[in-house]
Amino acid sequence: MGLLDGRVAVVTGAGSGIGRAAAEALAKEGAAVFATDIDPEGLEVTASNIAAAGGKVETKQQDVTDEALWDTVMEETEAKLGRPSILVNNAGIAIGGAIPDFSLEDWKTQMSVNVDSVFLGTRAAIRRMQEGGGSIINISSVAGLRGAPGLSAYCTSKGAVRLFTKAAAVECGRAGWPIRVNSVHPGIIDTPIWQKSITRLGEGMPILPDVPVGANALDADTLGAQASPMGRPGRPDEVADLIVYLASDKSSYINGQELVVDGAMTAGG
Ligand code: NAP
C-alpha cells in the first residue's frame, strides 16, 4: 500500500530533472500522475518510466505561462484520472546576467515562467480543491532565501514563490478550504538546468556566493562540490522524497512553510 493510493497529482516540468523524479516518486506511492511539460519528448521518457514501474500516468504538453491551458490541464486531469488533490508547480528556468546588462525582456520572461505559472497553477488547483482538499507544492530554491550575484531575476522570482506560498496557505486556512501550500527550496541539484543556463550567463559571472569567479563551470558536480558542505550536488530523487512527504498525510500539519533540501548549503560556512 502506497502513501498516496487513490490520489491524483499534477506535476509541471515533469519531462526533466526534479519534475521527472517527482512524477515517478508520486506514482511509486500510488498517485495517478498527470505529467506536463513544454518538452513533449522529455515527457514521453517520464511516462514510459512510470508505466514500466506499474504506475498510472497521463501526459500533456503545457506551457505553464499559458493561462487558458491551465483550465484544460485541470479538466483533462479530472476527466482521465479523477479530481486532482496534489499539484507540484515545478517548471522553471534560470536566466542569469549582471544587473546593468540585464534586459527588461529577460526579466519579464523570468517572472512569467517562474512566478506567473505558480499563481496560475495554484489558482486553478484551489478552484478544484476547495471541496475535498489538497496539497500544493511550489518549487522555489535556496535562491529564494538569499541573494546570489548574477542571478537577481532568478532570486526575485524564487523569493516571490516563497511568499506567494505563505499567502496562499494563510488564505486557504482562513477561508476554511482544506488545502495546504508549501514551498521546497533545493540547493544545487544534478539536473540539466545548469547546462541550459550556460548560454544565458555572463562569462566569469559568479552565480553563487560560495563559488568564486572563474570557478563557475556550470555543471552540477562542480557547483555542488563547492556550495554544499557535503561536497556533492543533490540528486533529483532526494528532492522528490520531500515532495512525496509534503503531498502525503504524513505532513498534515505542515502548512505555509519553506522546506530546504540543500546538503547544508545555507546552514553556514
Ligand atoms: P530542468 O531539468 O531544466 O527541468 C525543468 C523542466 O521545465 C524542463 O523540462 C523544461 O523544459 C520545463 N519548462 C521550462 N519552461 C517551461 C514552460 N514555460 N512551461 C512548461 N515547462 C517548462 O530543471 P530542474 O533543475 O529539474 O528544475 C525544476 C525546478 O527546480 C525549477 O523551478 C528550478 O528553478 C528549481 N530548482 C532547481 C535547482 C537545481 O539545482 N537543479 C535548484 C533549485 C531550484 P525545457 O527543457 O524545454 O526548458
Side-chain angles (χ1 to χ4, degrees), residues 149-150 202-217 223 226:
E203 213 170 296
M205 175 64 65
I207 62 162
L208 296 163
D210 316 293
V211 178
V213 179
N216 64 327
L223 292 169
Q226 297 195 44

Side-chain angles (χ1 to χ4, degrees), residues 69-201:
L69 209 43
W70 269 106
D71 285 334
T72 312
V73 163
M74 288 297 169
E75 280 160 17
E76 282 191 20
T77 301
E78 194 146 3
K80 291 179 175 172
L81 299 173
R83 186 188 70 85
S85 63
I86 299 162
L87 170 66
V88 185
N89 277 315
N90 165 79
I93 59 171
I95 305 177
I99 295 169
D101 305 323
F102 211 79
S103 72
L104 182 58
E105 192 187 352
D106 283 347
W107 178 271
K108 286 181 176 172
T109 300
Q110 183 68 91
M111 298 310 151
S112 178
V113 177
N114 287 14
V115 185
D116 294 4
S117 63
V118 173
F119 157 66
L120 291 171
T122 301
R123 186 180 68 176
I126 288 176
R127 287 171 177 169
R128 277 175 172 72
M129 294 178 186
Q130 281 167 318
E131 306 286 332
S135 174
I136 299 172
I137 299 146
N138 296 327
I139 308 305
S140 178
S141 168
V142 292
L145 301 174
R146 65 182 196 182
L151 280 177
S152 61
Y154 184 71
C155 289
T156 304
S157 74
K158 292 302 187 181
V161 169
R162 170 182 171 271
L163 208 49
F164 174 73
T165 297
K166 292 181 190 301
V170 170
E171 185 169 321
C172 288
R174 293 293 183 201
W177 306 326
I179 305 167
R180 293 183 296 109
V181 193
N182 290 287
S183 57
V184 167
H185 299 255
I188 305 294
I189 309 300
D190 189 2
T191 78
I193 199 170
W194 299 106
Q195 291 305 318
K196 290 175 196 168
S197 305
I198 198 165
T199 51
R200 301 193 180 113
L201 282 160

